Structure formats: structure tokens, C-alpha cells
Amino acid sequence: MKNVLLFAVVLIWHTQGVSQSADFAPVGAKWWVNQIVLEPVPADSFVIVEVTGEEMKDGELCRVITNLSGCGLPTPAHVFTRSDSVFFYSEVTDQFELLYDFTATVGSTWPIKGLSGFQGLDYVVHVINVSFEEYSGNILKTWWIEDSGDWGNRIVEKVGSLWYPGPTYIEYCPEPIDKRNAYWVRCYEENGELIKFWDNPCDRYKDLSPIQDVVDKGRISILPNPGHGSFTINTGLTDIDPKGVLEIFDFSGRNVWYLSGVQPVHLLDLDHLNKGMYALRILTKNGPSIVKFIID
């Protein structure tokens, strides 16, 4: 009888203390997200995504997530939790849409609607396994999802996806400058407790400037430099590359301009961009090439 009672107590503790999803995105929570940056040199760096407060949005008291720079969720993002489901406010549909379903089981699916840059498409999550995994001594419920290349392969309770807080649909959104671990969540911090998801320090910074396939200034040019308003870009190509992509990144590594179908010479009006240093990247079948320029 005593053994039965002990088993019941342990089972109740496990159900209440482990399997129940914790509050998502409390104020002060931080995600340390891997990101390839261009300044001061091309580097494997990081950005801290943070919940800075709460405010009302369309009748719901939301947590405000700032410093997002992926393609999918707006920045800042407004989220709230109801019945173990997390909703975000979409600037595309002008209403709240489901982001996480922490009640999902094996075989569950749910669409994520209204993501920016998805060309009106929905991202569909497919749960293929559910388990409890250890991260920095914490046993957290983990939903393993079908890996489409847009949102990694798992969602962790209270942390969310380990591939950025929102899907980044590569087909319709600019790719990161370097795909090596780009956008992976390095660490999660809540109430002073740090959970690490890889072996390197959360604030690791690695200089990538010697890598020639990341920086190659010899193939393209932009004039005037410095300048403002209209710029002429000479891509160094002899013909149009229909799969080529022209991108412009600001000082923080955020994509501010995207154009597909690269031509030998482009005239771009960048009058809408603020003063500062930028980097222009041409990605073609012959590889990437990056040049820095200044808007004065």
C-alpha cells in the first residue's frame, strides 16, 4: 500500500512539475540567437531577443518581444498565451494567429498564418515525436517537428523553437549571409537562470573576415560611395542571372532590401534608407560577393 501511495505522489509531481508547460515569454526573458553580422567585420555573432514588457493589443494583454530580425514574426512581436497555446499578432492578417500549441501530441499539425514574407502561404507544423530532454540540467518537454529547413526540428516548452522564435521561410525570405548555425537559439534566460543549447558561450563572437566565400569585394562595385539617393551597382556579371539575389544589410545585419533576378548593372533608389554603413551582397550561381557602402 505504501508503495502504491509513493508511486501516486511521484506521478502527481511529475505531471504537475514536469509535463505541464511553463509560462511562455515572461517579462525579462531573453533568447541569445546566433547571427552572422557584417560589422565591424563579418563575424559569427549573436543578437539578444528580449521580452521588454506588456501592453494591450487588439483587446489582449500581450508580452512584447523586441529585437527580432528574422523573416516571419513582426518586430516587435505581441504574443499572449491561452490554454497552453501561444498566439501572435499578425500585421498581415490584422488579427492574432496561433504560433505554438503546447498541447500537441505525436501526429498533431497546426498552421501558422499571417507570417510576413511568406507570399500569403501558411507554415504548417508537423509533430513527429514528443519527449522530455535535458538542457543544462533542466528536463523540458520537447516537440520534435518535421524539419523543413525553415524552422529547425524541435520546439521546447517555455523556450519555443530552437530555430528562431518564428519560421523563416527561405524560399521567400532573404537567406542569412552564412547558413552555418544562423538563427539557432544559443541560450535562453529567465529569472536569472541560463539554459544553454550548445557547447560554446552564449556571447561567442568569431571573426569570419578571412573567409573568401563570405567577403569578396573584387567582383562588384557601388557608386557613389559615400552617397545618397540613387546608386549604380555594377555586379560584374555579363548576363542576367535569373536565380541571382541582390540584398542590402544594415549595420546590425538586418536585411533592408531584396531583389531577385540580378542584372549586370542596377540603378537603385535608396532614398528611404537612413544614413549609415550598409553592405550589399550579390548571390549568384558563381557564389556570393559583398561590398560595403555608406549613405551620407
Side-chain angles (χ1 to χ4, degrees), residues 153-217:
N153 64 356
R154 56 184 148 166
I155 295 170
V156 178
E157 66 171 307
K158 80 178 181 177
V159 179
S161 170
L162 294 190
W163 173 272
Y164 213 69
T168 54
Y169 200 10
I170 297 300
E171 182 177 352
Y172 295 114
C173 301
E175 294 186 38
I177 297 172
D178 190 312
K179 279 188 168 181
R180 291 166 300 179
N181 298 323
Y183 296 150
W184 273 100
V185 174
R186 297 181 176 186
C187 304
Y188 174 76
E189 183 178 352
E190 180 182 319
N191 297 324
E193 181 181 8
L194 195 65
I195 303 175
K196 297 179 63 177
F197 298 102
W198 67 346
D199 294 333
N200 294 310
C202 302
D203 58 354
R204 174 177 177 265
Y205 182 93
K206 181 180 180 182
D207 186 348
L208 297 177
S209 55
I211 302 177
Q212 294 303 312
D213 64 350
V214 174
V215 176
D216 176 7
K217 299 180 181 179

Side-chain angles (χ1 to χ4, degrees), residues 55-292:
E55 65 183 34
M56 296 298 297
K57 183 76 171 181
D58 201 28
E60 298 285 351
L61 181 61
C62 297
R63 310 283 171 74
V64 182
I65 305 178
T66 61
N67 211 24
L68 290 160
S69 58
C71 183
L73 293 181
T75 182
H78 292 79
V79 303
F80 74 90
T81 303
R82 178 187 295 154
S83 301
D84 276 344
S85 294
V86 178
F87 300 85
F88 76 100
Y89 190 83
S90 168
E91 296 177 342
V92 177
T93 63
D94 289 326
Q95 63 184 21
F96 285 100
E97 304 288 356
L98 179 63
L99 179 61
Y100 294 119
D101 181 0
F102 289 131
T103 66
T105 58
V106 176
S108 294
T109 65
W110 72 87
I112 304 180
K113 302 175 180 291
L115 293 163
S116 61
F118 270 51
Q119 304 282 310
L121 300 177
D122 298 338
Y123 179 87
V124 181
V125 181
H126 299 263
V127 179
I128 58 178
N129 192 26
V130 181
S131 62
F132 289 93
E133 304 292 333
E134 181 178 351
Y135 306 97
S136 296
N138 295 269
I139 305 299
L140 299 177
K141 192 173 184 178
T142 300
W143 291 261
W144 297 87
I145 64 176
E146 187 176 291
D147 189 354
S148 65
D150 303 315
W151 211 18
N153 64 356
R154 56 184 148 166
I155 295 170
V156 178
E157 66 171 307
K158 80 178 181 177
V159 179
S161 170
L162 294 190
W163 173 272
Y164 213 69
T168 54
Y169 200 10
I170 297 300
E171 182 177 352
Y172 295 114
C173 301
E175 294 186 38
I177 297 172
D178 190 312
K179 279 188 168 181
R180 291 166 300 179
N181 298 323
Y183 296 150
W184 273 100
V185 174
R186 297 181 176 186
C187 304
Y188 174 76
E189 183 178 352
E190 180 182 319
N191 297 324
E193 181 181 8
L194 195 65
I195 303 175
K196 297 179 63 177
F197 298 102
W198 67 346
D199 294 333
N200 294 310
C202 302
D203 58 354
R204 174 177 177 265
Y205 182 93
K206 181 180 180 182
D207 186 348
L208 297 177
S209 55
I211 302 177
Q212 294 303 312
D213 64 350
V214 174
V215 176
D216 176 7
K217 299 180 181 179
R219 288 170 43 202
I220 60 176
S221 65
I222 181 168
L223 294 173
N225 187 13
H228 62 274
S230 295
F231 292 83
T232 300
I233 293 92
N234 190 325
T235 66
L237 299 173
T238 57
D239 54 12
I240 296 175
D241 186 343
K243 295 183 179 180
V245 172
L246 181 152
E247 299 171 306
I248 296 176
F249 299 86
D250 64 11
F251 183 86
S252 67
R254 181 174 60 96
N255 182 280
V256 295
W257 187 271
Y258 175 85
L259 178 67
S260 60
V262 175
Q263 302 182 39
V265 178
H266 283 279
L267 182 63
L268 290 183
D269 184 359
L270 302 179
D271 192 53
H272 63 288
L273 296 181
N274 296 326
K275 295 180 180 179
M277 180 174 289
Y278 293 83
L280 182 143
R281 182 180 77 154
I282 301 289
L283 181 61
T284 73
K285 58 189 176 184
N286 296 320
S289 183
I290 296 175
V291 64
K292 300 175 185 178

Side-chain angles (χ1 to χ4, degrees), residues 22-35:
D23 186 22
F24 179 77
V27 176
K30 298 178 182 179
W31 295 261
W32 302 66
V33 181
N34 200 72
Q35 191 173 71

Side-chain angles (χ1 to χ4, degrees), residues 1-14:
M1 183 65 179
K2 290 183 179 179
N3 290 336
V4 173
L5 290 175
L6 179 61
F7 174 77
V9 170
V10 171
L11 181 62
I12 293 172
W13 172 84
H14 177 81

